[in-house]
PDB file of all heavy atoms in Angstrom:
ATOM      1  N   GLY A 380       1.497   5.227  -0.703  1.00 97.00           N
ATOM      2  CA  GLY A 380       1.065   4.169  -1.608  1.00 97.00           C
ATOM      3  C   GLY A 380      -0.304   4.358  -2.242  1.00 97.00           C
ATOM      4  O   GLY A 380      -1.185   3.525  -2.029  1.00 97.00           O
ATOM      5  N   PRO A 381      -0.513   5.401  -3.059  1.00 98.00           N
ATOM      6  CA  PRO A 381      -1.829   5.602  -3.660  1.00 98.00           C
ATOM      7  C   PRO A 381      -2.165   4.544  -4.708  1.00 98.00           C
ATOM      8  O   PRO A 381      -1.281   4.030  -5.390  1.00 98.00           O
ATOM      9  CB  PRO A 381      -1.713   6.985  -4.308  1.00 98.00           C
ATOM     10  CG  PRO A 381      -0.252   7.144  -4.600  1.00 98.00           C
ATOM     11  CD  PRO A 381       0.459   6.443  -3.472  1.00 98.00           C
ATOM     12  N   THR A 382      -3.455   4.233  -4.830  1.00 98.00           N
ATOM     13  CA  THR A 382      -3.967   3.385  -5.911  1.00 98.00           C
ATOM     14  C   THR A 382      -5.195   4.069  -6.482  1.00 98.00           C
ATOM     15  O   THR A 382      -5.970   4.671  -5.750  1.00 98.00           O
ATOM     16  CB  THR A 382      -4.303   1.966  -5.407  1.00 98.00           C
ATOM     17  OG1 THR A 382      -4.815   1.191  -6.508  1.00 98.00           O
ATOM     18  CG2 THR A 382      -5.366   1.981  -4.325  1.00 98.00           C
ATOM     19  N   TRP A 383      -5.348   3.989  -7.801  1.00 98.00           N
ATOM     20  CA  TRP A 383      -6.444   4.688  -8.475  1.00 98.00           C
ATOM     21  C   TRP A 383      -7.682   3.804  -8.577  1.00 98.00           C
ATOM     22  O   TRP A 383      -7.584   2.639  -8.954  1.00 98.00           O
ATOM     23  CB  TRP A 383      -6.039   5.076  -9.885  1.00 98.00           C
ATOM     24  CG  TRP A 383      -4.977   6.112 -10.000  1.00 98.00           C
ATOM     25  CD1 TRP A 383      -3.627   5.901 -10.101  1.00 98.00           C
ATOM     26  CD2 TRP A 383      -5.159   7.529 -10.044  1.00 98.00           C
ATOM     27  NE1 TRP A 383      -2.967   7.107 -10.205  1.00 98.00           N
ATOM     28  CE2 TRP A 383      -3.882   8.127 -10.178  1.00 98.00           C
ATOM     29  CE3 TRP A 383      -6.282   8.374  -9.985  1.00 98.00           C
ATOM     30  CZ2 TRP A 383      -3.693   9.505 -10.253  1.00 98.00           C
ATOM     31  CZ3 TRP A 383      -6.086   9.743 -10.067  1.00 98.00           C
ATOM     32  CH2 TRP A 383      -4.817  10.296 -10.193  1.00 98.00           C
ATOM     33  N   ALA A 384      -8.842   4.399  -8.298  1.00 98.00           N
ATOM     34  CA  ALA A 384     -10.090   3.750  -8.700  1.00 98.00           C
ATOM     35  C   ALA A 384     -10.098   3.700 -10.229  1.00 98.00           C
ATOM     36  O   ALA A 384      -9.470   4.544 -10.880  1.00 98.00           O
ATOM     37  CB  ALA A 384     -11.294   4.546  -8.195  1.00 98.00           C
ATOM     38  N   PRO A 385     -10.801   2.718 -10.820  1.00 97.00           N
ATOM     39  CA  PRO A 385     -10.689   2.552 -12.274  1.00 97.00           C
ATOM     40  C   PRO A 385     -11.160   3.758 -13.084  1.00 97.00           C
ATOM     41  O   PRO A 385     -10.783   3.892 -14.244  1.00 97.00           O
ATOM     42  CB  PRO A 385     -11.547   1.312 -12.564  1.00 97.00           C
ATOM     43  CG  PRO A 385     -12.363   1.094 -11.336  1.00 97.00           C
ATOM     44  CD  PRO A 385     -11.579   1.648 -10.189  1.00 97.00           C
ATOM     45  N   ASN A 386     -11.954   4.651 -12.489  1.00 96.00           N
ATOM     46  CA  ASN A 386     -12.366   5.827 -13.262  1.00 96.00           C
ATOM     47  C   ASN A 386     -11.406   7.005 -13.083  1.00 96.00           C
ATOM     48  O   ASN A 386     -11.626   8.084 -13.629  1.00 96.00           O
ATOM     49  CB  ASN A 386     -13.805   6.240 -12.908  1.00 96.00           C
ATOM     50  CG  ASN A 386     -13.929   6.803 -11.501  1.00 96.00           C
ATOM     51  OD1 ASN A 386     -12.975   6.776 -10.722  1.00 96.00           O
ATOM     52  ND2 ASN A 386     -15.099   7.320 -11.175  1.00 96.00           N
ATOM     53  N   GLY A 387     -10.351   6.822 -12.293  1.00 96.00           N
ATOM     54  CA  GLY A 387      -9.370   7.881 -12.150  1.00 96.00           C
ATOM     55  C   GLY A 387      -9.839   9.063 -11.329  1.00 96.00           C
ATOM     56  O   GLY A 387      -9.226  10.124 -11.369  1.00 96.00           O
ATOM     57  N   ARG A 388     -10.909   8.897 -10.582  1.00 95.00           N
ATOM     58  CA  ARG A 388     -11.430  10.030  -9.822  1.00 95.00           C
ATOM     59  C   ARG A 388     -11.132   9.929  -8.324  1.00 95.00           C
ATOM     60  O   ARG A 388     -11.108  10.948  -7.638  1.00 95.00           O
ATOM     61  CB  ARG A 388     -12.954  10.133 -10.046  1.00 95.00           C
ATOM     62  CG  ARG A 388     -13.619  11.214  -9.239  1.00 95.00           C
ATOM     63  CD  ARG A 388     -14.723  11.914  -9.939  1.00 95.00           C
ATOM     64  NE  ARG A 388     -14.284  12.601 -11.137  1.00 95.00           N
ATOM     65  CZ  ARG A 388     -13.737  13.822 -11.138  1.00 95.00           C
ATOM     66  NH1 ARG A 388     -13.556  14.465 -10.019  1.00 95.00           N
ATOM     67  NH2 ARG A 388     -13.379  14.374 -12.269  1.00 95.00           N
ATOM     68  N   VAL A 389     -10.899   8.728  -7.830  1.00 96.00           N
ATOM     69  CA  VAL A 389     -10.672   8.533  -6.398  1.00 96.00           C
ATOM     70  C   VAL A 389      -9.384   7.728  -6.206  1.00 96.00           C
ATOM     71  O   VAL A 389      -9.059   6.856  -7.023  1.00 96.00           O
ATOM     72  CB  VAL A 389     -11.860   7.777  -5.746  1.00 96.00           C
ATOM     73  CG1 VAL A 389     -11.653   7.621  -4.243  1.00 96.00           C
ATOM     74  CG2 VAL A 389     -13.163   8.497  -6.037  1.00 96.00           C
ATOM     75  N   LEU A 390      -8.660   8.053  -5.154  1.00 98.00           N
ATOM     76  CA  LEU A 390      -7.450   7.312  -4.798  1.00 98.00           C
ATOM     77  C   LEU A 390      -7.629   6.703  -3.418  1.00 98.00           C
ATOM     78  O   LEU A 390      -8.231   7.323  -2.531  1.00 98.00           O
ATOM     79  CB  LEU A 390      -6.249   8.259  -4.754  1.00 98.00           C
ATOM     80  CG  LEU A 390      -5.815   8.845  -6.093  1.00 98.00           C
ATOM     81  CD1 LEU A 390      -5.297  10.256  -5.920  1.00 98.00           C
ATOM     82  CD2 LEU A 390      -4.764   7.959  -6.724  1.00 98.00           C
ATOM     83  N   MET A 391      -7.121   5.497  -3.248  1.00 98.00           N
ATOM     84  CA  MET A 391      -7.058   4.909  -1.911  1.00 98.00           C
ATOM     85  C   MET A 391      -5.581   4.827  -1.526  1.00 98.00           C
ATOM     86  O   MET A 391      -4.710   4.666  -2.386  1.00 98.00           O
ATOM     87  CB  MET A 391      -7.714   3.525  -1.879  1.00 98.00           C
ATOM     88  CG  MET A 391      -7.978   3.004  -0.464  1.00 98.00           C
ATOM     89  SD  MET A 391      -8.828   1.380  -0.429  1.00 98.00           S
ATOM     90  CE  MET A 391     -10.464   1.831  -0.964  1.00 98.00           C
TER      91      MET A 391
END
Side-chain angles (χ1 to χ4, degrees):
Chain A
T382 179
W383 292 92
N386 69 353
R388 176 143 298 277
V389 182
L390 292 146
M391 194 177 288

